Amino acid sequence: MGRQRPGAPTLEEVAALAGVGRGTVSRVINDAAGVKDSTRRAVQRAIEELGYVPNLAARSLAGRRADAVALVMTEPDWRQFGEPFFSEIVQSVGDALTDTKVQLLLTLVRTDAERQRLVEYARGGRVDGVMLMSVHAGDALPDMLAEVGLPTVLLGRRSGDESVTYVDADNVGGARSAVAHLLNRGRRAVATITGPLDMYVAQCRLRGYREAMERAGVEARRSWVAEGDFSQDSGHRAMAELLERSPEIDAVFAASDTMAAAALHTLRAAGRRVPEDVAVIGFDDFPLARRTDPQLTTVRQPLEEIGRTMVRLLLEEMEDSAVAWRHVILRTELVLRDSA
């Protein structure tokens, strides 16, 4: 059930100022019939004077819906929205909603002010649920949405103790299988380009790398780890850094296809052959992986299934607010091509 934040005007205060009952205020808010024009104007004046924002509970009591959900990217860098991951997720979520009456709204939230605006927008009943992607550790937005009773589903999670419903890929297992493949092919100086380590997805892929190295009895040297941010520029930068620090490396596991493709270019510019001198594996299996030279061995995460599952869980929570949060982790698959 939604509730007003501390200090916010209440439905009862609007009713008292307008000189009407609580039920009348609810009918005005939900544009119901049977309210005199003079009464409607009095309630609207009271709402404006108090700055009242109708909460989700008041809207649900009248059985009204916005028939809209928001897909929110919580990423401070606008450029990240151009990465293939986001377009793939938008397409899969949109496809999953095709046969419903629900409108999909896309929005980008970068600052605390934008977080608060989104919450106020949601409290006004303009959307029935929210899907969040690219959530960094410590982001309060999922909790803010839970506070107002809005059904919310995360793509990924903020930590291993996530309390909000989420859908995720098996990032640890996927990374572990990629690095194990490199080690099984005789590579021993295996480096990694991580994602931004304030994101749990990047932490998990790094953990999978380390677990595979440990299981094979190979020391994962600190100089073999370079941090990226899933972008092309960071892939170039991290690969150059690895070559400068550790010219002996004979394999690289990159935590995204975008960074892996950039690493291929940097290796070629440095005179390293792929896979003869340095084998490369990415993560995602975007169409990009089939356009690189050589084609990219990668870990496929089921983005279409992720999008469908997010939509299914969100619609179920919208139908029944008593549904407990769910955590869904989907399998990944190592796809072998020419780069490793």
Side-chain angles (χ1 to χ4, degrees), residues 126-140:
R126 295 178 179 89
V127 293
D128 302 314
V130 169
M131 291 169 281
L132 300 177
M133 54 182 173
S134 191
V135 181
H136 292 248
D139 192 333

Side-chain angles (χ1 to χ4, degrees), residues 272-290:
R272 303 293 182 94
R273 298 170 301 164
V274 178
E276 292 86 354
D277 301 326
V278 182
V280 177
I281 296 182
F283 202 114
D284 290 317
D285 197 27
F286 295 144
L288 167 70
R290 294 182 289 279

